[in-house]
Amino acid sequence: DGGITQSPKYLFRKEGQNVTLSCEQNLNHDAMYWYRQDPGQGLRLIYYSQIVNDFQKGDIAEGYSVSREKKESFPLTVTSAQKNPTAFYLCASKQGSGYEQYFGPGTRLTVT
Amino acid sequence: AQKITQTQPGMFVQEKEAVTLDCTYDTSDQSYGLFWYKQPSSGEMIFLIYQGSYDEQNATEGRYSLNFQKARKSANLVISASQLGDSAMYFCAMREDYGGSQGNLIFGKGTKLSVKP
């Protein structure tokens, strides 16, 4: 089955540590996205990538970094510079000519 | 200013009845798209329905329909014959084809729908 996988579902880290969230898709989609969701809020765009080896900052990129070395993978690193990293993180992908974004199941990150 | 406004933080509906979830948007683009997503308690975002700004007819997908009123800049989601499984958060989103968002989705804050048996 084609889809997007995010692992792990729940992630716990100590403050001051970097952590990398995984996102893999086998839909052969060109574009991939990372969103952050806080309780009671909508999704906010962190980073996006339209093609391999290229990515752009979204609305709240500070304290995050990404890479796009392969078409199917778009990992997100939450660095120690991110002041409020505890949140629900969703990855999405889209075919270049399409309009619908397909979402993964999300990773809930808790930093204490 | 908010680009997507969902004014109903929470809604209740009786099972088997219809419900309308409100969404208004703000854009100066002529070409844009409007989306509704459902987010159950598991967290995954499920695409429900899409309306392009040039589509003359309201979009429909099964029990979901989008009441698109372009002049009023509203894109309300109508769910007919509500089911218990419809209980979830619902998000309205917009894609501006030429605006500052560069074709990315802008989400509203969501409406929590609870279906009562």
Side-chain angles (χ1 to χ4, degrees), chain A residues 50-103:
Chain A
Q50 304 284 8
I51 56 171
V52 175
N53 292 322
D54 187 51
F55 48 82
Q56 307 294 331
K57 292 182 179 180
D59 299 321
I60 55 165
E62 186 175 348
Y64 300 97
S65 66
V66 293
S67 63
R68 187 86 186 274
E69 296 177 2
K70 298 185 296 183
K71 187 175 186 177
E72 58 269 24
S73 179
F74 191 40
L76 173 75
T77 297
V78 184
T79 75
S80 56
Q82 168 51 234
K83 294 178 182 177
N84 296 297
T86 295
F88 187 54
Y89 291 88
L90 283 156
C91 178
S93 71
K94 183 177 78 70
Q95 186 54 271
S97 58
Y99 55 80
E100 176 190 347
Q101 288 188 18
Y102 294 79
F103 283 81

Side-chain angles (χ1 to χ4, degrees), chain B residues 33-51:
Chain B
L34 296 157
F35 303 75
W36 278 94
Y37 281 86
K38 172 184 178 181
Q39 186 180 43
S41 56
S42 59
E44 188 170 356
M45 297 287 281
I46 302 167
F47 168 76
L48 295 178
I49 198 165
Y50 167 79
Q51 178 89 38

Side-chain angles (χ1 to χ4, degrees), chain B residues 51-75:
Chain B
Q51 178 89 38
S53 59
Y54 293 115
D55 294 339
E56 294 184 353
Q57 293 199 335
N58 287 342
T60 60
E61 291 286 349
R63 292 186 301 111
Y64 305 106
S65 61
L66 198 151
N67 184 359
F68 181 45
Q69 298 188 41
K70 197 168 182 176
R72 296 181 58 189
K73 293 188 176 178
S74 77

